C-alpha cells in the first residue's frame, strides 16, 4: 500500500460519516463492530436495535404508510428527486465510504452511488406513470379497469456486497408507490446504511421545508443481526419483504413470509456462466470475462463463475486469461491502480480455499487462488483470483462460492453446452460470446438460457437500472429495479362501473326478482 491508504481508516470513516450527517451517538457505545476488509480494523462499535425496538419501528412505519399513501404520487416523486440531488452532492463521500466498508475499488464505490442516482431518476418519472388498464367488458353501459394502490410497509434486507444500491432499487420504487420502508442492512456494512439514512433525512427535511407533506417515520434502519431480519419477516404489518442474500437465507425467508400470506422479492445466489463460441471476438471476450469473473473480488451475485470455451478457441483464449489472472493488480481498493480489493472477511477466504481443494480433488488444474500479503494490512484477506481448468461440470462447479473462482471447461457441441449451462440449480445471469446470429438468437430463445438475465457479447456481471433485475430457480424469482417491477410494491384492484340503469350479469347469468 502507499500513502493513498490513510494510517487510520477509522478516522477517515468517522470524518466521512460526519460530513454525511450521521449523529455521533449512532457510532459509539455499542457492541456491533463495523470493520473494514481493507485492513481488518474496527471502524466503529455501533449500538444495536433489539427485536422489541424493531417491532415498535415497524408499527411507526405502518402509521406513516397510512398517511403517505394519500400523498399524490407525483409529490412522492418530488421527494425522490430531492434525494437524487443530495446523492449527487454526496457521491464522492458516500462512494469512498462504500470502498472503505465493503472493500470495493474506488470506481465501483462511486458506481454504486451512481446506481442510486439513476434509480432515483427512474422513480421520479415512474411517479407519473403508475397506471392500470381499461379492459373491454361484455356488459353494455359498463366500464372495467384496474387500479394500483400502495401496499404498506416494505421491508428491505440487503447484503454486504452492494450495501446501498440494492436498498435504493427497492426504496425509490417503494416510496413513489406510496409505501413506507424499514431497512435491515447487512451487519457487515452498517455504516453505509447509517450514512444513506442521514442523506435521506436531509432530503425529507428539504421536502417538508418546501411545503411537501410527509409523515414521521417514513423510513427506518435496523442495526443488528439476524433477529432484526426475523422481526421484519414475521411481522404482519410488513406485507412485502425484499431480501437479497444467499439461497440458504432465501429458504428461510420465503416460507416464513408465505406462511402469513405476505409477499417476498427474493434475490438469491447466482452460478453464472458464459459460452465462448468459435466466432467470438477474443479480444472483446478477454475483457468481458476478466471483469465479470474478477471484478469486486468475485463478490457479486452476477459474477461469472463457469466458462464454457469451444475446443477450437480454447488453446488461444485460456492462456491469455491465465496471464491476465497472474498480472492483475491486487491491493488496497483506495489506490487508483488497484483492480482487485480484499474479500470481505476470513469466512469468505476459508470458503474459497475449501472450494479450490474440492476442485483439485475433482481433477481441476488451479491457476492462482493463493492469499496475497499486503504489508500494511496483515489482517486483510487479499487473494489472487483463481482460474480452474476443470475436466467436467462437477463438484464445486455446481455451487456458488462467493469469491473470485472461475471454472473453465471445454465443449464441442452447442446443443450440449446449452444443457450444461442450464444444469445448475441457480438461474440469475448468463452470457454468450458469438458472432453467429443463430447461436445468439437460440441462446436468448425459450430453448436457450434459463436465467433471468441473458446477454450477448457482454459478460453476465453488472446491470443497468432500466431493466428488471432478478433470476429464476434457486435465485428466487424476484425482480427489482426497472421495467414494470414497480407492480411488486403495489396491490391491484379490478373495478367495474355501471353507468346505465339496467343490471346485466356477467356470463349471461339471470337472477330476476320481483
Amino acid at each position: 500500500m502507499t500513502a493513498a491508504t490513510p494510517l487510520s481508516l477509522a478516522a477517515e470513516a468517522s470524518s466521512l460519516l460526519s460530513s454525511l450527517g450521521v449523529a455521533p451517538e449512532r457510532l459509539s457505545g455499542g457492541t456491533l463492530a463495523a470493520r473494514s476488509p481493507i485492513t481488518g480494523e474496527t471502524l466503529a462499535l455501533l449500538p444495536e436495535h433489539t427485536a422489541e425496538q424493531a417491532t415498535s419501528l415497524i408499527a411507526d412505519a405502518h402509521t406513516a404508510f397510512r398517511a403517505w399513501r394519500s400523498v399524490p404520487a407525483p409529490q412522492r416523486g418530488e421527494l425522490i428527486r430531492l434525494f437524487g440531488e443530495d446523492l449527487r452532492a454526496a457521491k464522492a463521500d458516500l462512494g469512498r465510504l462504500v470502498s472503505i466498508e465493503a472493500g470495493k475499488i474506488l470506481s465501483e464505490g462511486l458506481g454504486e452511488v451512481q446506481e442510486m442516482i439513476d434509480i432515483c431518476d427512474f422513480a421520479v418519472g415512474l411517479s407519473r406513470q403508475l397506471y392500470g388498464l381499461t379492459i373491454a367488458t361484455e356488459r353494455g353501459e359498463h366500464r372495467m379497469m384496474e387500479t394500483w394502490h400502495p401496499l404498506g410497509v416494505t421491508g428491505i434486507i440487503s447484503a454486504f456486497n452492494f450495501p446501498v444500491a440494492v436498498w435504493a432499487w427497492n426504496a425509490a420504487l417503494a416510496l413513489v408507490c406510496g409505501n413506507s420502508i424499514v431497512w435491515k442492512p447487512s451487519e457487515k456494512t452498517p455504516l453505509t446504511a447509517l450514512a444513506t439514512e442521514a442523506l435521506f433525512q436531509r432530503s425529507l427535511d428539504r421536502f417538508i421545508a418546501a411545503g411537501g407533506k410527509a409523515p414521521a417515520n417514513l423510513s427506518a434502519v435496523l442495526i443488528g443481526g439476524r433477529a432484526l431480519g426475523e422481526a421484519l419477516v414475521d411481522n404482519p404489518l410488513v406485507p412485502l419483504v425484499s431480501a437479497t442474500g444467499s439461497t440458504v437465507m432465501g429458504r428461510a425467508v420465503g416460507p416464513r413470509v408465505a406462511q402469513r400470506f405476505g409477499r417476498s422479492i427474493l434475490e438469491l445466489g447466482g452460478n453464472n456462466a458464459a459460452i465462448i463460441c468459435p466466432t467470438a471476438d477474443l479480444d472483446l471476450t478477454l475483457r468481458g470475462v476478466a471483469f465479470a469473473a474478477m471484478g469486486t473480488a468475485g463478490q457479486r451475485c452476477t459474477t461469472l463463475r463457469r466458462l464454457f470455451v469451444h475446443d477450437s478457441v480454447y488453446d488461444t483464449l485460456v492462456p491469455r486469461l491465465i496471464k491476465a489472472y497472474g498480472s492483475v493488480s491486487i491491493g488496497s481498493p483506495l489506490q487508483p491502480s488497484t483492480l482487485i480489493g480484499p474479500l470481505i472477511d476470513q469466512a469468505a477466504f476459508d470458503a474459497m480455499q475449501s472450494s479450490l481443494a474440492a476442485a483439485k480433488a475433482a481433477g481441476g488444474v488451479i491457476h492462482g487462488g493463493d492469499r496475497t500479503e499486503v504489508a500494511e494490512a496483515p489482517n486483510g484477506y487479499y487473494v489472487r483470483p483463481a482460474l480452474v481448468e476443470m475436466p467436467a461440470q462437477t463438484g464445486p462447479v455446481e455451487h456458488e462460492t462467493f469469491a473470485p473462482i472461475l471454472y473453465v471447461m471445454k465443449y464441442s457441441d452447442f446443443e450440449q453446452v446449452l444443457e450444461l449451462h442450464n444444469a445448475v440449480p441457480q438461474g440469475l445471469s448468463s452470457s454468450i460470446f458469438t458472432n453467429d446470429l443463430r447461436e445468439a438468437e437460440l441462446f436468448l430463445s425459450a430453448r436457450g438460457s434459463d436465467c433471468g438475465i441473458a446477454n450477448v457479447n457482454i459478460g453476465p456481471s453488472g446491470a443497468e437500472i432500466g431493466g428488471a433485475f432478478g433470476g429464476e430457480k434457486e435465485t428466487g424469482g424476484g425482480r427489482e429495479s426497472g421495467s414494470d417491477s414497480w407492480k411488486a410494491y403495489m396491490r391491484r384492484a379490478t373495478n367495474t362501473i355501471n353507468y346505465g340503469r339496467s343490471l346485466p350479469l356477467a356470463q349471461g347469468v339471470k337472477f330476476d326478482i320481483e
Side-chain angles (χ1 to χ4, degrees):
M1 293 187 182
T2 69
T5 299
L7 293 176
S8 172
L9 290 179
E12 184 177 7
S14 178
S15 176
L16 290 170
L17 288 161
S18 177
S19 72
L20 292 165
V22 179
E25 59 267 22
R26 302 294 300 271
L27 303 172
S28 62
T31 57
L32 179 63
R35 293 187 173 91
S36 172
I38 298 174
T39 60
E41 71 182 270
T42 297
L43 303 173
L45 291 172
L46 308 183
E48 298 183 61
H49 289 96
T50 65
E52 292 74 19
Q53 288 173 323
T55 298
S56 177
L57 286 170
I58 291 168
D60 291 342
H62 176 70
T63 300
F65 155 70
R66 291 173 63 85
W68 186 241
R69 64 184 175 180
S70 296
V71 175
Q75 293 182 28
R76 302 193 297 250
E78 173 61 11
L79 171 59
I80 300 304
R81 188 190 69 80
L82 293 173
F83 184 46
E85 284 187 351
D86 287 326
L87 285 170
R88 283 179 169 86
K91 180 178 176 180
D93 284 351
L94 184 56
R96 190 168 178 89
L97 186 63
V98 168
S99 292
I100 290 172
E101 190 175 37
K104 292 188 170 187
I105 63 174
L106 290 171
S107 65
E108 288 197 67
L110 294 171
E112 185 161 347
V113 183
Q114 185 60 50
E115 199 163 354
M116 301 172 77
I117 294 167
D118 292 344
I119 195 62
C120 286
D121 287 348
F122 180 91
V124 172
L126 179 65
S127 69
R128 294 182 181 272
Q129 298 181 75
L130 301 175
Y131 45 72
L133 300 173
T134 297
I135 305 165
T137 172
E138 66 192 62
R139 289 171 283 186
E141 298 185 309
H142 282 56
R143 179 163 64 88
M144 186 161 58
M145 63 183 184
E146 65 178 26
T147 52
W148 294 84
H149 301 294
L151 186 61
V153 179
T154 298
I156 304 169
I157 300 173
S158 60
F160 77 86
N161 60 325
F162 277 85
V164 290
V166 170
W167 170 83
W169 290 357
N170 287 278
L173 298 192
L175 286 164
V176 299
C177 288
N179 304 322
S180 57
I181 51 176
V182 179
W183 180 17
K184 195 281 178 193
S186 169
E187 53 269 40
K188 297 180 181 181
T189 50
L191 298 181
T192 45
L194 291 176
T196 300
E197 177 192 33
L199 284 172
F200 181 75
Q201 186 60 51
R202 184 181 299 174
S203 307
L204 192 58
D205 291 344
R206 292 174 60 205
F207 178 72
I208 293 171
K213 295 183 179 180
N217 307 306
L218 187 58
S219 172
V221 175
L222 304 177
I223 299 298
R226 177 171 177 163
L228 301 183
E230 292 176 342
L232 273 177
V233 166
D234 294 335
N235 196 308
L237 294 180
V238 184
L240 174 65
V241 175
S242 179
T244 302
S246 68
T247 298
V248 171
M249 181 272 287
R251 290 191 199 281
V253 169
R256 287 175 69 160
V257 175
Q259 188 174 25
R260 60 177 177 84
F261 299 103
R263 304 183 194 177
S264 58
I265 299 173
L266 299 177
E267 298 290 355
L268 311 176
N271 193 359
N272 315 293
I275 298 172
I276 314 304
C277 300
T279 63
D281 178 332
L282 295 187
D283 290 334
L284 176 72
T285 300
L286 179 68
R287 296 194 302 273
V289 168
F291 170 72
M294 292 189 282
T296 325
Q299 297 172 118
R300 288 182 175 224
C301 53
T302 54
T303 290
L304 176 60
R305 308 198 184 281
R306 296 177 296 137
L307 189 68
F308 298 100
V309 183
H310 193 269
D311 54 18
S312 67
V313 296
Y314 189 97
D315 291 338
T316 301
L317 176 65
V318 174
R320 295 179 64 187
L321 278 171
I322 292 171
K323 182 179 179 181
Y325 267 65
S327 62
V328 68
S329 58
I330 302 168
S332 167
L334 302 182
Q335 295 184 23
S337 61
T338 295
L339 293 180
I340 309 296
L343 294 173
I344 190 68
D345 54 23
Q346 181 179 351
F349 174 78
D350 291 344
M352 179 179 180
Q353 298 309 306
S354 177
S355 293
L356 290 176
K360 184 176 181 180
V365 177
I366 300 171
H367 306 273
D370 51 304
R371 188 172 180 182
T372 299
E373 296 296 330
V374 176
E376 293 84 355
N379 296 319
Y381 287 88
Y382 294 83
V383 294
R384 173 71 54 188
L387 184 150
V388 185
E389 296 181 84
M390 291 293 292
Q393 181 166 272
T394 186
V397 185
E398 297 176 321
H399 309 286
E400 179 189 43
T401 301
F402 221 59
I405 302 175
L406 179 64
Y407 300 107
V408 183
M409 293 153 283
K410 287 183 181 180
Y411 82 92
S412 57
D413 179 76
F414 189 69
E415 292 284 351
Q416 184 181 49
V417 80
L418 279 179
E419 293 294 326
L420 288 170
H421 176 280
N422 294 342
V424 294
Q426 310 84 3
L428 177 53
S429 192
S430 59
S431 64
I432 186 171
F433 287 83
T434 181
N435 284 318
D436 185 315
L437 179 63
R438 290 188 176 91
E439 288 175 335
E441 291 292 341
L442 179 57
F443 185 76
L444 301 180
S445 75
R447 290 169 49 205
S449 169
D450 63 358
C451 297
I453 301 169
N455 298 329
V456 177
N457 290 332
I458 64 170
S461 185
E464 296 182 35
I465 60 89
F469 181 90
E472 302 299 327
K473 301 189 295 186
E474 288 190 2
T475 301
R479 293 295 185 276
E480 297 170 323
S481 195
S483 186
D484 66 347
S485 60
W486 61 270
K487 294 179 178 179
Y489 302 88
M490 305 195 81
R491 62 179 179 86
R492 183 196 327 236
T494 301
N495 314 127
T496 303
I497 303 163
N498 180 359
Y499 56 89
R501 294 185 177 276
S502 60
L503 192 65
L505 302 179
Q507 294 86 46
V509 172
K510 300 295 184 181
F511 195 83
D512 296 327
I513 59 175
E514 295 296 332

